[in-house]
């Protein structure tokens, strides 16, 4: 059931009260009710990312092994014969491939954008995506895509009406670059709380686990009928390399075990 506009302020106060009684906060931590519809307006976009061409030449990919930044796109380009670009160790698909496409005269170009949402929905150890050509596996027609990303999914999502809310970030987090925080699959028209911390001691909260403890910042605001929200930002200078920041949303949702759904815990590490 969506929260009517007249009840949003009350919903925000209730969520604040729950947090104040259940979650340890650092002295001076900021709690600010943010009821501004303009949050959904773009303040900037993530910097344009790079497209990496990979050519099919005979029975090989060139370059076969590449390392890219999160958000970059790999574009495979056909030159002759019938081939595939199939994620996994081979020699045949086992199901659950992150990508699997024909590369032939009928499909001369195949592209995959390795953004954070893709990485979270198709997790692989070390963000390494091996791939191969099915008919020419025996010819060692193999490759890998390794993705360097400052965003990590630490788990702890607690399902609501629409399942697990998904939280992810985009951008390299380099000083002066644009970045964005994206929440999807939340209850439409809900009141949400965005938790931020610089350390993580997972703590029970509303039947789930909150990773942003001790809490450093909390912002409460309503989201729209799409059940998603994007918060853009420009990365300031002076953040020490290796600094972790933990992010997690709480979403008021009658379909959750105790009326509050939780996104996954998102960890960002500044380069």
């Amino acid at each position: 059931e969506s929260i009517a506009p007249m009840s949003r302020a009350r919903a925000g106060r209730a969520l604040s009260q729950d947090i104040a009684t259940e979650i340890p906060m650092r002295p001076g931590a900021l709690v600010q009710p943010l009821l501004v519809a303009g949050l959904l307006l773009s303040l900037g976009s993530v910097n344009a990312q790079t497209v990496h061409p990979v050519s099919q030449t005979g029975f090989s990919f060139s370059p076969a092994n590449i390392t890219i930044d999160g958000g970059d796109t790999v574009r495979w380009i056909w030159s002759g014969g019938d081939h595939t670009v199939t994620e996994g160790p081979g020699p045949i698909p086992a199901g659950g491939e992150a990508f699997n496409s024909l590369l032939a005269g009928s499909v001369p170009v195949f592209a995959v954008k390795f953004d954070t949402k893709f990485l979270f929905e198709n997790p692989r150890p070390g963000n390494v995506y091996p791939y191969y050509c099915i008919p020419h596996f025996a010819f060692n027609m193999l490759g890998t895509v390794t993705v360097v990303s400052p965003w990590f999914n630490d788990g702890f999502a607690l399902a609501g009406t629409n399942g697990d809310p998904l939280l992810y970030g985009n951008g390299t987090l380099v000083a002066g670059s644009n970045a964005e925080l994206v929440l999807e699959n939340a209850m439409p028209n809900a009141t949400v709380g965005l938790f931020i911390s610089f350390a993580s001691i997972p703590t029970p909260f509303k039947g789930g686990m909150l990773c942003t403890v001790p809490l450093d910042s909390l912002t409460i605001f309503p989201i729209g009928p799409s059940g998603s929200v994007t918060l853009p930002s420009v990365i300031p200078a002076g953040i020490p390399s290796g600094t972790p920041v933990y992010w997690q949303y709480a979403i008021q949702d009658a379909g959750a075990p105790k009326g509050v759904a939780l996104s996954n815990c998102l960890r960002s590490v500044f380069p």
Side-chain angles (χ1 to χ4, degrees), residues 3-4 32 36 89 102 107 109 116 132 143 172 185 189 229 237:
I3 299 175
Q32 47 178 332
V36 181
L102 186 67
V107 186
V109 176
T116 309
Y132 60 99
T172 62
N185 207 42
N189 301 308
V229 62

Side-chain angles (χ1 to χ4, degrees), residues 34-93:
L34 193 69
L35 303 175
V36 181
L39 267 174
L40 299 177
L41 300 176
S42 178
L43 304 176
S45 58
V46 174
N47 299 66
Q49 303 299 301
T50 302
V51 176
H52 302 265
V54 174
S55 300
Q56 169 264 315
T57 305
F59 298 143
S60 65
F61 297 107
S62 180
N65 304 299
I66 60 173
T67 299
I68 66 174
D69 286 326
D72 287 358
T73 295
V74 177
R75 181 179 294 156
W76 287 269
I77 303 168
W78 171 81
S79 67
D82 291 335
H83 306 277
T84 72
V85 179
T86 304
E87 189 267 334
I92 59 173

Side-chain angles (χ1 to χ4, degrees), residues 88-146:
I92 59 173
E97 288 75 27
F99 50 87
N100 184 12
S101 173
L102 186 67
L103 192 67
S106 58
V107 186
V109 176
F110 171 61
V112 175
K113 185 174 183 179
F114 290 84
D115 57 12
T116 309
K117 183 177 181 181
F118 176 91
L119 300 182
F120 284 9
E121 291 181 339
N122 303 279
R124 301 292 185 269
N127 290 339
V128 178
Y129 293 81
Y131 66 92
Y132 60 99
C133 172
I134 296 173
H136 301 118
F137 181 84
F139 292 86
N140 203 36
M141 193 171 180
L142 315 170
T144 60
V145 178
T146 300

